[in-house]
Amino acid sequence: MKVVLGYDGSLAANAAIRSGAALFPAADAVVVYLCTPPFGSKGLRARLRHSARNVDELIDLVDSESEGEAARMVDTGVILARAAGWNPEPLVKRTWAGEGLGLAQVAEQLEPDVLIVGARGIGATDSKLGSVSDLVVHHAPRAVLVVSQNMISAEYAAVADGPVVVGVDGSTGSDRALAAAGALFPGREVVSVGVDDGSAVDVAAEQPAHRVPRFRGSGAGATADALVAFAEDQRAGVVVVGSRGRSALKKVLLGSVAAATLQRTYRPVLVVPGG
């Protein structure tokens, strides 16, 4: 198992390490810190601004000192990842595309089994994803695990041994999600849940090997609510959803139910991209 984890020293990133290591024990992990403009932390730039004699010197100082700051940051992530049971290595990458697209690019280059990101939001008025994790799930070509920093003790406990709940609707995307769940979580119970937002799909007939409760909502939000409620009832360790495919730019287009699920649960959500 190979995972890539975006690390920036935040509580969300630390939560992602903890839950990711519980879901994918003993994985080979690449802990990635992305340097984005303006390079260096605010405190570092402020200190260097007072010590530089001119703009050219300030630019040189920021370049050199921000590299050291980034190395120390990613080393902290590696230490935490190793303590959690992973076999980690650091990667510092400078990008002008921003953290979200930068992580998607790293996933495209390294081709991990899973890309893991933390989410900082706390509710409906403050997106549970945040700009970085939102961009990652929309554009990464690999499966993305989104972990909220606001999980409670019962949810952390479920991550260790709870079942894997997969939303299925008879589409190719949900078939890929179901296959990914079986491959990525060997030994865990996989519970398929039939969901749709208006189309009549005989999911139970199409997935005879799995226990398939079925919900039909009047829209993506209602369907996601039903899926999330079922995951809560089952004490799910992770919820798995499929995206809807790709655009002309070969970027993943997130399905409406998948997007709504990400906003409605604090449990880890694995988004599996379309073909």
Side-chain angles (χ1 to χ4, degrees):
M1 176 69 67
K2 179 181 179 180
V3 303
V4 167
L5 181 132
Y7 189 77
D8 61 2
S10 66
L11 290 176
N14 293 338
I17 290 176
R18 178 171 181 171
S19 292
L23 290 168
F24 308 110
D28 293 327
V30 179
V31 179
V32 182
Y33 179 77
L34 293 175
C35 299
T36 59
F39 300 109
S41 65
K42 183 177 179 180
L44 177 65
R45 295 195 308 274
R47 179 177 180 183
L48 296 177
R49 189 179 303 117
H50 293 295
S51 59
R53 291 172 295 183
N54 52 55
V55 174
D56 286 341
E57 184 173 282
L58 176 60
I59 291 173
D60 290 340
L61 284 172
V62 170
D63 278 346
S64 61
E65 289 296 335
S66 64
E67 289 180 2
E69 185 180 58
R72 291 187 291 274
M73 178 68 73
V74 80
D75 282 347
T76 298
V78 166
I79 290 170
L80 293 174
R82 184 174 293 115
W86 276 345
N87 177 33
E89 61 180 84
L91 174 63
V92 175
K93 181 178 177 65
R94 180 171 288 201
T95 177
W96 283 261
E99 292 177 73
L101 290 177
L103 284 173
Q105 183 182 48
V106 169
E108 191 168 68
Q109 294 168 345
L110 299 184
E111 299 184 336
D113 296 292
V114 180
L115 171 62
I116 304 175
V117 292
R120 305 184 186 189
I122 58 174
T125 58
D126 177 15
S127 171
K128 289 180 186 173
L129 288 181
S131 59
V132 173
S133 48
D134 182 62
L135 282 170
V136 170
V137 297
H138 277 82
H139 295 289
R142 317 295 291 186
V144 178
L145 180 73
V146 179
V147 178
S148 171
Q149 74 173 27
N150 298 300
M151 292 168 59
I152 60 176
S153 297
E155 291 160 344
Y156 274 115
V159 167
D161 58 6
V164 178
V165 170
V166 186
V168 298
D169 61 5
S171 68
T172 301
S174 70
D175 289 345
R176 290 176 62 88
L178 189 60
L184 293 173
F185 304 104
R188 290 219 185 197
E189 179 187 10
V190 175
V191 181
S192 303
V193 183
V195 295
D196 64 80
D197 57 1
S199 59
V201 180
D202 188 0
V203 181
E206 294 181 7
Q207 305 290 345
H210 298 270
R211 177 163 58 93
V212 187
R214 189 168 182 278
F215 301 104
R216 185 177 183 182
S218 58
T223 302
D225 284 338
L227 175 59
V228 169
F230 182 83
E232 292 290 324
D233 182 66
Q234 294 293 305
R235 188 180 165 271
V238 60
V239 181
V240 182
V241 290
S243 63
R244 284 292 186 180
R246 296 175 184 270
S247 71
L249 295 177
K250 296 184 178 180
K251 302 302 182 184
V252 173
L253 295 174
L254 204 61
S256 56
V257 172
T261 301
L262 282 162
Q263 295 294 347
R264 283 164 164 75
T265 184
Y266 288 100
R267 295 179 186 273
V269 177
L270 182 77
V271 180
V272 178

